Amino acid sequence: MKLATFKGGVHPPERKELTKDSPIQRAPIPEKVVVFMQQHAGAPAKPIVEAGQKVKTGQIIGEPGGFISAYVHSPVTGTVVEIKKLSNIIFGRAVDAVVIQREGEDDWELLPHGDFEKFSKDELLENIKKAGIVGLGGAMFPTHVKLNPPQDKKIDTLIINGAECEPYLTIDHRMMLEKNEEILVGIKIVKKILGVQNVYIGIEENKKDAIEFLKEKWKGQVIVVPLKTKYPQGAEKQLIYAVTQRKVPQGGLPMDVGVVVQNVSTMYAIKEAIIDGKPLIERGLTITGEAINKPGNWWVRIGTPISWIIENLGQGFKNGIENVKILMGGPMMGIPINNIDTPIVKGNNGITTLIPEELRGTFCIRCSYCVYVCPMGLQPYLLDLLGKKKRYDEAAQIGLLDCIECGSCTYICPAKVEHVKTIKLAKKVYRALRGGEK
Ligand code: SF4
Ligand code: SF4
């Protein structure tokens, strides 16, 4: 099998065997959910409900706070208990969260829905917006914005991201095997919106069953591109290069080379919204890692606390393990949580539980490994150094803002330098000081 790929990258232990054969099961609905008003890139949503108010499953509880923002819906039928500011670990600040007590089974509030052919492009985009759909691969960029590029950006190619290069996670793999018909409907809807004919799906070759299965199922409709198993193969720019050999310019976006990339789970969410009228109130995720009793793949309501998921779905931590490290996401790009009651958000593709590793953070020995693996062609050791010295302008000149935070440098570093931590902070400070300029 000829495999497409990119320059750089690393190959960490995959550990997908823990869950790759676990079919996605539907989790029970928790008694209480905590729904953040920011679960998307851009401005937080504004809550439009108040304490004591009854809400239905799928009812809008938060309205977009800006052009780049998203609607937020109630994941359960029940009563709003309170609205409070809570620390949102993903966005690094406190944001409004709506706490809802469930009462009984789902009483749905659905969006306009039906055969997608009856909707115009603008109606489809509006319904995707109203459904609160964001990129479910982790980036959480509002999908209606991504599917509506400026007129001067001619899009000719849609790439579906089935790479799932993060170690441990297998939810996209299971989605491709179990939900291929629904995903294909989502792809047809997006094809209509973008007016494109070329559609590819990139899948790492460690998912051979999905490659063979979709080649057969989607014959003549979507070109399946087997990818080398290498991290970060699923990062947008690396995926685009592997599939089309087009290079997104420094500081540019996929639309600059005529491409839109969408994750497989996002395609499923689009089908659910347009055909069935269901806004984004649940998603599939992998619960995995060395520290948990029962790894698996589950459909879980947004707003479910991680503590509830670990106890009820993962059957708790293994005996005798202390100081478990819990990540929202996989081990490479996942965000470590400091509060186990943190609720899951739309972009949460997994919960990974790890046994504490040895201490990180010693000194660079100039081995250049990080430079060799960086898929963006950066000098991570230097970005780390300049970041630590607060020389942000110099860091920006050598590509600080081009870092995709993939973590390959930190993974490969023999001195265990934590570049990504420093780079993330440096980007944040630089943007604050310079107002987001490139
Ligand atoms: S991999 Fe680590 S030790 Fe080697 S140059 Fe990069 S930061 Fe320094
Ligand atoms: S510098 Fe950024 S893009 Fe390069 S390997 Fe490190 S995290 Fe990835």
Side-chain angles (χ1 to χ4, degrees):
M1 198 188 303
K2 190 173 177 300
L3 300 173
T5 194
F6 64 97
K7 190 167 171 286
V10 292
H11 189 176
E14 296 171 27
R15 300 297 281 139
K16 291 184 186 265
E17 67 281 5
L18 290 173
T19 54
K20 77 179 177 53
D21 297 319
S22 305
I24 309 170
Q25 302 173 70
R26 185 163 283 283
I29 309 174
E31 290 304 309
K32 197 184 263 186
V33 289
V34 181
V35 188
F36 275 121
M37 288 292 108
Q38 181 149 35
Q39 310 192 30
H40 48 263
K46 295 181 186 139
I48 57 161
V49 288
E50 49 192 43
Q53 187 175 336
K54 300 272 184 206
V55 288
K56 290 183 173 186
T57 304
Q59 182 177 331
I60 292 172
I61 57 173
E63 282 184 339
F67 175 68
I68 298 182
S69 185
Y71 282 95
V72 181
H73 304 76
S74 174
V76 296
T77 296
T79 301
V80 175
V81 180
E82 62 177 324
I83 298 164
K84 59 180 177 182
K85 288 257 186 249
L86 269 186
S87 162
N88 181 327
I89 195 85
I90 295 181
F91 294 96
R93 58 174 178 266
V95 293
D96 286 326
V98 177
V99 183
I100 306 169
Q101 182 72 41
R102 179 168 77 88
E103 286 155 4
E105 296 308 307
D106 286 325
D107 180 11
W108 279 90
E109 185 164 305
L110 297 175
L111 299 160
H113 59 283
D115 179 3
F116 73 90
E117 293 292 5
K118 76 177 184 185
F119 295 116
S120 68
K121 170 189 162 178
D122 287 345
E123 287 168 336
L124 290 172
L125 282 170
E126 183 60 20
N127 289 355
I128 288 171
K129 179 180 176 183
K130 277 278 162 62
I133 297 175
V134 301
L136 297 185
M140 294 187 278
F141 193 82
T143 303
H144 66 281
V145 180
K146 199 170 177 184
L147 293 181
N148 196 16
Q151 288 202 334
D152 61 325
K153 302 288 178 191
K154 178 84 189 97
I155 305 298
D156 62 12
T157 301
L158 169 64
I159 300 178
I160 307 302
N161 192 347
E164 200 167 49
C165 59
E166 266 280 352
Y168 286 90
L169 304 186
T170 60
I171 189 64
D172 286 350
H173 185 181
R174 295 307 313 178
M175 290 290 290
M176 290 186 280
L177 293 176
E178 297 176 37
K179 306 287 180 193
N180 66 88
E181 285 174 15
E182 293 88 341
I183 293 168
L184 186 59
V185 174
I187 291 172
K188 287 178 181 170
I189 295 168
V190 172
K191 270 181 80 176
K192 176 168 174 175
I193 293 171
L194 293 173
V196 297
Q197 291 308 316
N198 306 329
V199 187
Y200 301 89
I201 182 164
I203 308 174
E204 278 191 344
E205 58 100 34
N206 59 1
K207 296 176 264 297
K208 282 197 177 69
D209 50 355
I211 292 173
E212 296 311 322
F213 183 61
L214 294 185
K215 268 186 180 169
E216 185 56 36
K217 282 272 179 185
W218 293 356
K219 207 175 193 164
Q221 305 188 77
V222 178
I223 298 170
V224 179
V225 182
L227 305 167
K228 190 168 177 184
T229 302
K230 189 167 70 163
Y231 182 86
Q233 186 66 79
E236 280 195 343
K237 292 174 184 175
Q238 285 63 34
L239 180 66
I240 292 168
Y241 180 75
V243 173
T244 65
Q245 280 74 59
R246 296 181 196 176
K247 277 190 184 170
V248 178
Q250 274 209 342
L253 293 168
M255 64 177 153
D256 295 325
V257 293
V259 178
V260 165
V261 179
Q262 291 285 336
N263 174 268
V264 285
S265 293
T266 315
M267 292 296 98
Y268 180 87
I270 288 175
K271 178 263 165 193
E272 287 275 285
I274 301 296
I275 308 295
D276 306 315
K278 292 185 176 174
L280 182 57
I281 57 128
E282 61 183 354
R283 65 158 300 151
L285 55 80
T286 304
I287 304 159
T288 187
E290 316 299 339
I292 204 153
N293 276 316
K294 192 172 172 261
N297 288 301
W298 294 87
W299 279 113
V300 180
R301 294 287 161 106
I302 305 296
T304 305
I306 289 178
S307 51
W308 186 96
I309 292 174
I310 287 173
E311 223 29 64
N312 293 278
L313 310 181
Q315 295 183 4
F317 296 124
K318 288 178 183 163
N319 276 341
I321 297 181
E322 287 178 1
N323 302 324
V324 174
K325 185 174 175 185
I326 305 171
L327 299 159
M328 282 180 122
M332 298 299 283
M333 285 192 83
I335 297 171
I337 60 158
N338 50 11
N339 175 3
I340 195 169
D341 292 325
T342 299
I344 65 142
V345 294
K346 294 174 180 178
N348 233 167
N349 49 4
I351 295 166
T352 308
T353 62
L354 298 175
I355 295 164
E357 326 157 292
E358 66 275 36
L359 267 180
R360 283 199 162 271
T362 57
F363 300 103
C364 172
I365 54 169
R366 297 288 193 273
C367 67
S368 306
Y369 287 176
C370 56
V371 178
Y372 180 71
V373 299
C374 177
M376 296 305 293
L378 304 175
Q379 299 174 74
Y381 74 93
L382 201 48
L383 289 172
D384 179 79
L385 190 73
L386 293 171
K388 281 179 179 146
K389 289 184 179 296
K390 300 188 170 61
R391 287 157 61 182
Y392 304 119
D393 285 335
E394 286 166 71
Q397 279 163 19
I398 62 162
L400 175 69
L401 297 183
D402 288 322
C403 168
I404 57 172
E405 300 171 17
C406 69
S408 297
C409 47
T410 299
Y411 171 77
I412 205 76
C413 176
K416 308 208 176 303
V417 171
E418 296 200 80
H419 317 74
V420 189
K421 226 189 223 174
T422 316
I423 290 173
K424 273 186 178 175
L425 182 66
K427 280 164 93 171
K428 215 171 173 177
V429 178
Y430 179 78
R431 285 198 171 107
L433 293 173
R434 302 277 172 252
E437 74 189 41
K438 284 268 170 192

